Amino acid sequence: MLQEINFKLPSSTDPAYITKRGLEILNDPWLNKGTSFSEEEREALGLRGLLPPYRADMGEQVQRVMENYWHHTDPLDKYTFLIGLADRNITLFYRVLMEHLLEMTPIMYTPTVGYACQQFGHIYRKNRGMYINLNHKGSIAEVLDNWPKDEVDIIVISDGSRILGLGDLGANGMGIPIGKLVLYVAGAGLHPSRTLPILLDVGTDNEELLNDPLYLGLTRRRVHGEEFDEIVDEFVQAATTRWPNVLIQWEDFTNDKAFPILNRYRDKVLCFNDDIQGTGAVALAGLLAAMRIRSEHLSDQRIVFCGAGSAAVGIADMICAGIADEHSMSTEEARKLVWMCDSRGLVTDTRDSGVEEHKVPYARDEAPAAELLEVVKRVKPTILIGASGHAHTFTEDVVKAMHQHCEQPIIFALSNPTTKAECTAEEAYTWTGGNAVFASGSPFSAVRYNGKVFVPGQGNNMFIFPGVGLGAVVCGAEKVTDEMFFAAAKTLAHMVTEEELRSGTIYPDLLKIRQISLAIAAAVCRLAWDQGLAQYAEPPDIRQYVRECMYHPEYRPYIAA
Ligand code: NAD
């Protein structure tokens, strides 16, 4: 039976909010408004004399924060400053972040969060989220009971084994679940008090960390195999028992763990893996927008991948599902349009050492080829996607060989950070005489070539995961399906304006993230309700309902005016 819609934001006028008084309120980041408390609130809540007399509005508070923020020149100092603000005043933190989103996402997330993770044990100040470790085996449910909130909508969990492009960072990886959830709140309006970052500490194989006296994780080597699977199982069981509707997002696990975990739980609990499915959807959205530029269909393309890891396989799966869906083809037929290369060259089914499980569907029955250039010359691709984590693999020869057979080559250099991109935007435009449709994982500035300005698109997962997460949460979805990601990709592709397409951009402006997330969440809800996957009753107007569920960082009065 469908429940009445029961997704409700906590209200700051709930009596629970005013049981505290005085310094207790100022020291609680969820309640603190700093200098913004009204005279009446100061009187009623025991705050008289605890604050300077002037009552600042939020705009003035933001101004003060920014003056201080801009004093810092080192990105890590900016990160620490912002985390400090969140520790004092959550509402102001999110207001500042949302008003300076383009400037601050590279601080709260990649690339700066990567440095923050590397330094985690050295810059640690205050608890945030939860650490589940091997010693908790058998009592994870009790450990989760220590989290003070009975309502948790979303958990982002990582075992720290493959943090961005930085490898095994063990417990230091906690910066990633924290940062990702900040993006969920800023980008889609998930309620911050209902988000839970978790670091699953199963040891680390990082020698430097094991020898670092300030490392805060377990100082032992990682466990694998059954022992690892058992702790993940116990966590899933405990988390879904305490919070039956919670969405679990698997984050930055190595491939040998990421694919099996996703496959094991995707039909059992509400969960997804952004590195695989989110990346797939954001790349598919870019390709669908590029098809608008070229007035072609994906089923007419030949697609070569450089890299065959989570990102590449996630993208290929999503593209093939998309093609199969649009053109009534089987997924197997769609896969024939894909050639994948890894560090050993073209992935074929004749490799002596065999092919890892996640690559098997894309292993080709053809002659091996050691070099990307050889593959490009043989296949004559119309789309070239880089997700290898290795810079400069799209050489001038590779790009020119592609352009020889394709007037408007689509080139995605997705490896992060910028220094790892397979080629730069300028190279892609220059080597193709200004004909490439280019997108990257990390941002590139606009390029002037032959008197025309080209604006490269950034295939940022942030376009997709916040909206998918919001949609899944507010309809009470039972699972997250690939179709939902496919719907998200189509929604995103349609939000690129004609003007953006004319300048070569295949993604919308990130500043529209709230509108984008709203549209994606509504599309996800629509699918869930159509397919009987939503537990809550359908509202009369889905968009309106989703909009009302979104958190906005605003102070609300604590006492009736
Ligand atoms: P991964 O480690 O799972 O996979 C890397 C793959 O590249 C492996 O298959 C490896 O064999 C292959 N490879 C390594 N060197 C190569 C070479 N010289 N030539 C060809 N293949 C090579 O990593 P991942 O999670 O798939 O991420 C790969 C890259 O994609 C990273 O740089 C990551 O930052 C980026 N990424 C971008 C986005 C985005 O733009 N939205 C999203 C996710 C990941």
Side-chain angles (χ1 to χ4, degrees):
M1 196 177 73
L2 290 181
Q3 300 170 21
E4 279 308 301
I5 287 176
N6 62 356
F7 183 84
K8 188 174 154 283
L9 294 180
S11 154
S12 56
T13 48
D14 284 350
Y17 278 84
I18 47 172
T19 54
K20 292 187 175 179
R21 286 181 63 77
L23 281 181
E24 272 185 321
I25 293 177
L26 299 184
N27 290 334
D28 183 336
W30 300 100
L31 299 180
N32 187 19
K33 303 193 220 175
T35 50
S36 258
F37 283 102
S38 68
E39 273 311 311
E40 295 75 15
E41 286 171 328
R42 294 178 191 211
E43 176 76 39
L45 302 173
L47 296 170
R48 283 176 68 214
L50 297 180
L51 291 162
Y54 181 75
R55 183 193 179 187
D57 65 24
M58 220 178 184
E60 290 163 326
Q61 290 185 313
V62 171
Q63 192 185 342
R64 185 172 295 108
V65 168
M66 291 312 294
E67 265 188 39
N68 285 288
Y69 176 81
W70 285 321
H71 278 148
H72 297 288
T73 48
D74 176 37
L76 195 53
D77 289 343
K78 290 184 176 184
Y79 176 87
T80 317
F81 173 84
L82 287 176
I83 288 284
L85 175 61
D87 286 339
R88 293 193 305 279
N89 183 335
I90 290 280
T91 318
L92 186 57
F93 166 75
Y94 279 108
R95 176 63 75 90
V96 165
L97 186 65
M98 286 176 63
E99 288 187 6
H100 301 86
L101 196 68
L102 293 188
E103 186 177 345
M104 289 180 177
T105 42
I107 301 294
M108 286 314 298
Y109 208 66
T110 175
T112 307
V113 73
Y115 310 128
C117 286
Q118 286 172 319
Q119 296 300 318
F120 194 77
H122 295 255
I123 61 173
Y124 182 88
R125 289 184 182 185
K126 193 172 182 295
N127 64 300
R128 192 171 287 275
M130 296 197 84
Y131 298 82
I132 295 173
N133 71 58
L134 287 172
N135 302 328
H136 296 147
K137 244 178 136 190
S139 62
I140 294 179
E142 286 162 42
V143 172
L144 289 186
D145 274 344
N146 287 337
W147 189 249
K149 313 270 181 186
D150 287 332
E151 281 173 329
V152 170
D153 295 329
I154 178 164
I155 288 172
V156 174
I157 180 165
S158 176
D159 70 347
S161 56
R162 200 234 53 183
I163 295 300
L164 306 168
L166 303 167
D168 180 353
L169 293 187
N172 284 10
M174 183 53 145
I176 296 295
I178 292 171
K180 200 107 189 192
L181 283 167
V182 163
L183 300 188
Y184 271 101
V185 175
L190 273 289
H191 199 283
S193 73
R194 293 159 58 143
T195 65
L196 173 54
I198 296 186
L199 192 287
L200 181 65
D201 188 343
V202 293
T204 178
D205 293 333
N206 183 326
E207 287 299 333
E208 218 176 294
L209 292 180
L210 288 171
N211 292 316
D212 179 350
L214 290 188
Y215 177 59
L216 291 166
L218 293 183
T219 44
R220 54 156 295 160
R221 298 210 164 264
R222 280 185 180 277
V223 298
H224 299 277
E226 240 173 68
E227 211 179 342
F228 178 85
D229 293 346
E230 278 168 15
I231 195 165
V232 174
D233 258 344
E234 192 186 333
F235 157 72
V236 171
Q237 183 63 37
T240 53
T241 303
R242 170 134 199 232
W243 303 290
N245 294 333
V246 73
L247 167 62
I248 299 172
Q249 198 226 277
W250 310 105
E251 180 74 21
D252 281 0
F253 285 79
T254 46
N255 285 330
D256 60 324
K257 306 279 188 327
F259 285 99
I261 287 178
L262 181 61
N263 293 334
R264 190 153 79 240
Y265 298 108
R266 61 188 303 160
D267 290 323
K268 292 194 189 127
V269 298
L270 184 67
C271 72
F272 72 87
N273 180 312
D274 179 54
D275 305 314
I276 301 172
Q277 295 159 290
T279 304
V282 82
L284 175 61
L287 292 179
L288 291 172
M291 292 299 106
R292 285 174 60 196
I293 296 180
R294 291 216 310 221
S295 305
E296 289 176 8
H297 294 290
L298 276 178
S299 53
D300 304 327
Q301 312 302 315
R302 289 181 305 282
I303 308 165
V304 167
F305 281 86
C306 176
S310 347
V313 170
I315 296 169
D317 283 351
M318 202 62 68
I319 294 173
C320 293
I323 294 176
D325 178 85
E326 292 271 276
H327 303 279
S328 320
M329 263 185 201
S330 69
T331 315
E332 286 68 32
E333 268 180 284
R335 285 190 187 129
K336 291 188 181 142
L337 304 172
V338 172
W339 284 257
M340 237 177 227
C341 302
D342 62 14
S343 51
R344 293 187 291 153
L346 183 64
V347 178
T348 63
D349 53 16
T350 51
R351 275 187 182 171
D352 294 341
S353 51
V355 173
E356 288 108 304
E357 210 178 319
H358 62 278
K359 302 177 190 170
V360 168
Y362 297 98
R364 301 211 47 116
D365 176 17
E366 62 183 87
E371 299 296 329
L372 180 64
L373 181 60
E374 196 183 338
V375 177
V376 167
K377 283 183 175 168
R378 185 192 298 173
V379 175
K380 303 181 181 61
T382 54
I383 298 174
L384 181 60
I385 298 178
S388 62
H390 274 256
H392 311 306
T393 40
F394 295 172
T395 59
E396 185 168 356
D397 285 347
V398 165
V399 172
K400 285 191 166 163
M402 181 182 183
H403 184 38
Q404 228 172 21
H405 301 281
C406 175
E407 207 182 313
Q408 238 181 342
I410 296 171
I411 299 176
F412 284 9
L414 296 181
S415 290
N416 296 312
T418 319
T419 49
K420 295 268 174 83
E422 283 76 7
C423 69
T424 65
E426 190 170 0
E427 286 167 346
Y429 295 125
T430 311
W431 294 337
T432 58
N435 284 297
V437 178
F438 178 83
S440 54
S442 301
F444 277 102
S445 311
V447 174
R448 181 176 283 277
Y449 176 80
N450 266 354
K452 188 176 169 194
V453 176
F454 295 87
V455 185
Q458 189 199 349
N460 189 336
N461 288 28
M462 192 180 166
F463 283 123
I464 296 284
F465 68 78
V468 170
L470 176 68
V473 163
V474 300
C475 71
E478 281 164 6
K479 58 181 176 175
V480 181
T481 62
D482 275 343
E483 273 171 299
M484 291 176 182
F485 279 99
F486 185 44
K490 282 206 277 197
T491 306
L492 180 61
H494 280 108
M495 293 188 82
V496 187
T497 63
E498 292 298 328
E499 197 187 332
E500 283 164 335
L501 290 179
R502 274 195 294 278
S503 67
T505 313
I506 48 175
Y507 291 101
D509 190 339
L510 194 61
L511 286 175
K512 292 189 201 154
I513 186 66
R514 279 285 176 122
Q515 280 161 266
I516 294 167
S517 297
L518 171 60
I520 289 177
V524 166
C525 286
R526 178 70 278 150
L527 256 181
W529 269 303
D530 285 349
Q531 298 182 340
L533 290 173
Q535 298 177 70
Y536 305 158
E538 185 179 335
D541 182 339
I542 293 181
R543 272 184 89 91
Q544 178 63 18
Y545 165 65
V546 174
R547 192 179 289 114
E548 283 166 8
C549 290
M550 291 168 86
Y551 164 83
H552 293 277
E554 278 155 8
Y555 295 138
R556 300 198 207 145
Y558 290 157
I559 53 169

